[in-house]
């Protein structure tokens, strides 16, 4: 049987642009994984790893015009957005190079022997080593920062793990271009090119997570696709860690005091956040609790005005567009749900932004799970509450999230702030006050993860600690100094942080 072609498609027209590759068969995936596995020891040199990451950032930056042009042609996200995403991607690679240089990610701990302890303590030396080949599943909505050269790849390489990336079908040409740049960077710094390998195709994704030489996986995508791969990873004869980001509602709670104080500002801010990237950010605020009454009406009016002024947007592909149209139509048909601004089709290839409204009592009395599930695209659900108790009851029905946001009074004390913050904290991995969740800073203190279905583990996919996903601890006991890894030897010859 002939291999299926992989086409680059223009989402603005729905027409194929060019054939990029063919879908990988099982034997192709096997070759890719074995090639990556064969060169894993080349990444043991931390100096070479750091140099590789910096060289990759430099090459991406030097090829920026071509990368942005390719990504825009395949995603319609626009040059401005994609130029910013490229800058974020290169900064992320350089940040992980600094993590590698600094060395605290190795988490070195040394306990000297103590014969007088009860029981006696031997010499113990603990650090972290790379797991092995990591499968990375590229995201649709971030063709750079969460795809081939993105955070999963950067953190895995920083940990010393080669990667096999499964390209996303929405941007195969951009994936191929970025993979070629990463491979060039490897060669330029004396590493084998196969520390990064790219495969295409739906079946390749399943074969990859099941391959016996794949040691861990990182995924960003839908609940359905991520859960299928997560189950496959757990069902292997030797299960592997699967770090999946699957879906997030990202609830927002507006206190009465906040809306009294700045209803119009909050309404306009929400519109800007929920329409960013055509509403296709994983951190889009898709569920908002707003008070009933005059101040809440002013907020809803400002939101409606801002959304009505927004132009039509192109989504990442026509399949996602169809799902958005079907999903918003189904929600609008629920009894008690209204559409102050109807989301829908803006043309044969575009969508328009909008929001749906429902009373908290109606939501609580019915069984409509779609109202509390992520819907990709420029839409949010505004739930109007009449009491503090209704907020608590609605929050108790929400799934896990990447983010949760509280808007409270800024110019005077708000008695609702502290208790609501305490209620929101168990729901998400990042909790914001008086801000918007779209935009995830790459920083040491960042956490991009949350309770299921936001993610399948407690780890973060953004920030310095993302490297921890691809490492495991090992302790050497009573081991002669000359047999220890240099990082653990007496005298600290490599001058690494130790405890």
């Amino acid at each position: 049987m002939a291999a299926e072609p992989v086409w680059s498609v223009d989402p603005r027209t729905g027409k194929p642009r060019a054939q990029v590759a063919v879908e990988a068969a099982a034997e192709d995936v096997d070759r890719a994984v074995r090639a990556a596995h064969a060169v894993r020891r080349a990444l043991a040199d931390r100096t070479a790893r750091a140099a590789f990451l910096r060289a990759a950032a430099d090459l991406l930056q030097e090829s920026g015009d071509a990368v942005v042009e390719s990504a825009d042609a395949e995603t319609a996200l626009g040059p401005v957005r994609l130029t910013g995403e490229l800058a974020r991607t290169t900064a992320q690679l350089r940040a992980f190079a600094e993590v590698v240089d600094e060395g605290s990610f190795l988490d070195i701990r040394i306990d000297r022997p103590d014969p007088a302890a009860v029981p006696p303590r031997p010499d113990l030396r603990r650090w972290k080593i790379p797991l092995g080949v990591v499968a990375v599943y590229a995201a649709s909505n971030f063709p750079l920062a969460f795809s081939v050269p993105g955070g999963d790849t950067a953190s895995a390489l920083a940990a010393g793990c080669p990667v096999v990336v499964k390209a996303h079908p929405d941007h195969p040409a951009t994936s191929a271009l970025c993979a070629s740049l990463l491979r060039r960077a490897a060669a330029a710094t004396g590493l084998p090119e196969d520390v990064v390998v790219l495969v295409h195709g739906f079946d390749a994704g399943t074969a990859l997570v099941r391959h016996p030489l794949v040691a861990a996986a990182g995924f960003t995508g839908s609940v359905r696709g991520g859960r299928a791969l997560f189950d496959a990873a757990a069902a292997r004869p030797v299960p592997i860690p699967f770090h999946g980001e699957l879906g997030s509602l990202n609830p927002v709670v507006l206190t009465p005091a906040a809306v009294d104080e700045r209803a119009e500002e909050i309404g306009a801010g929400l519109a800007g956040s929920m329409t960013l990237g055509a509403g296709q950010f994983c951190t889009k605020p898709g569920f908002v609790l707003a008070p009933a009454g005059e101040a809440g009406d002013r907020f809803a009016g400002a939101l409606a005005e801002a959304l009505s002024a927004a132009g039509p947007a192109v989504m990442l592909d026509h399949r996602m567009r169809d799902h958005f149209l079907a999903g918003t139509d189904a929600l609008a048909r629920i009894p008690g749900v209204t559409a102050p601004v109807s989301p829908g089709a803006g043309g044969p290839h575009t969508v328009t932004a909008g929001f749906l409204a429902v009373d908290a009592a109606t939501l609580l009395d019915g069984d409509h799970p779609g109202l509390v599930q992520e819907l990709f695209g420029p839409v949010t659900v505004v739930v109007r509450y009449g009491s503090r108790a209704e907020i608590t009851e609605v929050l108790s029905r929400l799934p896990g999230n990447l983010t949760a946001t509280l808007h409270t009074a800024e110019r005077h004390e708000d008695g609702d702030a502290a208790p609501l913050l305490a209620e929101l904290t168990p729901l998400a991995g990042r909790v914001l006050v008086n801000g918007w969740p779209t935009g995830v800073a790459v920083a040491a203190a960042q956490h991009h993860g949350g309770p299921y279905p936001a993610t399948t583990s407690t780890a973060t996919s953004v920030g310095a600690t993302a490297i921890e996903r691809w490492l495991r601890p090992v302790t050497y006991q009573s081991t002669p100094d000359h047999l220890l890894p240099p990082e653990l030897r007496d005298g600290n010859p490599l001058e690494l942080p130790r405890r």
Side-chain angles (χ1 to χ4, degrees):
M1 182 183 296
E4 289 293 322
V6 175
W7 289 88
S8 173
V9 177
D10 183 349
R12 294 180 173 95
T13 64
K15 295 180 179 179
R17 297 174 60 244
Q19 182 179 341
V20 176
V22 295
E23 294 193 354
E27 56 268 27
D28 300 318
V29 174
D30 180 61
R31 279 194 294 270
V33 174
R34 290 186 182 280
H37 183 262
V39 301
R40 67 194 186 283
R41 290 188 176 87
L43 287 169
D45 185 336
R46 288 190 305 112
T47 301
R49 293 208 307 265
F52 167 38
L53 293 169
R54 292 189 175 97
D58 291 343
L59 272 177
L60 283 164
Q61 189 170 326
E62 292 166 11
S63 306
D65 290 345
V67 171
V68 168
E69 181 181 359
S70 176
D72 180 50
E74 294 186 307
T75 67
L77 289 172
V80 174
R81 148 72 197 272
L82 289 165
T83 298
E85 186 180 335
L86 178 60
R88 171 204 173 97
T89 304
T90 56
Q92 194 164 241
L93 286 161
R94 293 185 178 109
F96 276 112
E98 293 180 7
V99 169
V100 174
D101 281 339
E102 191 268 341
S104 62
F105 74 97
L106 296 170
D107 195 21
I108 298 173
R109 298 164 183 255
I110 296 176
D111 279 317
R112 303 292 182 185
D114 184 358
V118 181
R121 186 178 69 219
D123 185 276
L124 301 170
R125 305 190 182 213
R126 182 185 190 269
W127 71 326
K128 291 184 177 178
I129 63 172
L131 291 174
V133 177
V134 170
V136 171
Y137 294 81
S140 63
N141 56 342
F142 282 85
L144 305 174
F146 283 84
S147 291
V148 173
D152 284 350
T153 296
S155 58
L157 292 170
C161 298
V163 297
V164 178
V165 185
K166 207 287 284 184
H168 197 280
D170 278 353
H171 41 80
T174 306
S175 297
L177 173 57
C178 291
S180 70
L181 293 172
L182 292 183
R183 289 169 66 86
R184 278 177 54 194
T189 51
L191 292 173
E193 291 186 345
D194 285 340
V195 294
V196 177
V197 187
L198 184 70
V199 295
H200 297 264
F202 178 83
D203 290 341
T206 304
L208 192 54
V209 80
R210 290 176 175 160
H211 196 286
L213 294 181
V214 167
F219 171 90
T220 302
S222 68
V223 173
R224 181 180 178 184
R227 184 55 195 254
L229 292 171
F230 174 74
D231 290 346
R236 292 169 35 132
V238 179
I240 59 171
F242 183 89
H243 300 285
E245 180 190 322
L246 310 188
S248 184
L249 197 60
N250 304 304
V252 178
V253 176
L254 314 178
T255 70
V259 179
D260 283 341
E261 185 180 86
R262 55 185 201 288
E264 291 78 11
E265 177 188 330
I266 293 173
L270 173 61
S273 182
M274 60 168 279
T275 58
L276 197 63
Q280 298 170 117
F281 274 38
C282 51
T283 52
K284 179 200 76 174
F287 188 89
V288 183
L289 277 158
E294 184 272 336
D297 291 343
R298 286 193 289 115
F299 153 76
L303 175 61
E305 181 180 356
L307 292 177
S308 297
V314 178
M315 295 190 70
L316 293 164
D317 62 38
H318 282 61
R319 176 185 58 81
M320 292 183 189
R321 178 182 178 273
D322 292 344
H323 186 265
F324 172 77
L325 296 177
T328 53
D329 181 67
L331 293 181
R333 293 177 183 274
I334 295 173
V337 174
T338 61
V341 179
S342 295
H349 308 292
T350 60
V351 298
T352 58
F355 78 98
L356 306 172
V358 63
D359 290 339
T362 302
L363 176 70
L364 294 169
D365 289 342
D367 181 20
H368 303 291
L371 290 171
V372 293
Q373 292 174 353
E374 179 188 33
L375 180 56
F376 219 48
V379 66
T380 196
V381 174
V382 175
V383 179
R384 302 294 294 272
Y385 65 85
S387 68
R388 178 68 178 74
E390 283 185 333
I391 299 177
T392 296
E393 182 63 23
V394 170
L395 292 179
S396 73
R397 300 194 181 189
L398 299 188
N401 295 272
L402 294 170
T403 75
T405 301
L406 176 66
H407 277 268
T408 183
E410 292 182 337
R411 294 191 287 272
H412 59 85
E413 187 173 348
D414 189 337
D416 290 319
L420 283 173
L421 197 66
E423 288 186 40
L424 287 171
T425 297
L427 292 176
R430 178 163 58 104
V431 182
L432 300 88
V433 177
N434 293 343
W436 298 106
T438 38
V440 185
V442 179
Q446 185 58 272
H447 187 84
H448 189 64
Y452 185 87
T455 51
T456 59
S457 71
T458 60
T460 179
S461 61
V462 179
T465 54
I467 196 173
E468 295 173 0
R469 296 174 295 169
W470 321 120
L471 300 162
R472 70 175 181 87
V474 172
T475 293
Y476 290 90
Q477 179 173 326
S478 303
T479 304
D481 196 63
H482 70 281
L483 293 180
L484 288 168
E487 291 84 353
L488 300 181
R489 290 177 186 169
D490 287 338
N492 198 3
L494 301 182
E495 298 182 351
L496 290 166
R498 294 176 166 190
R499 181 182 176 187

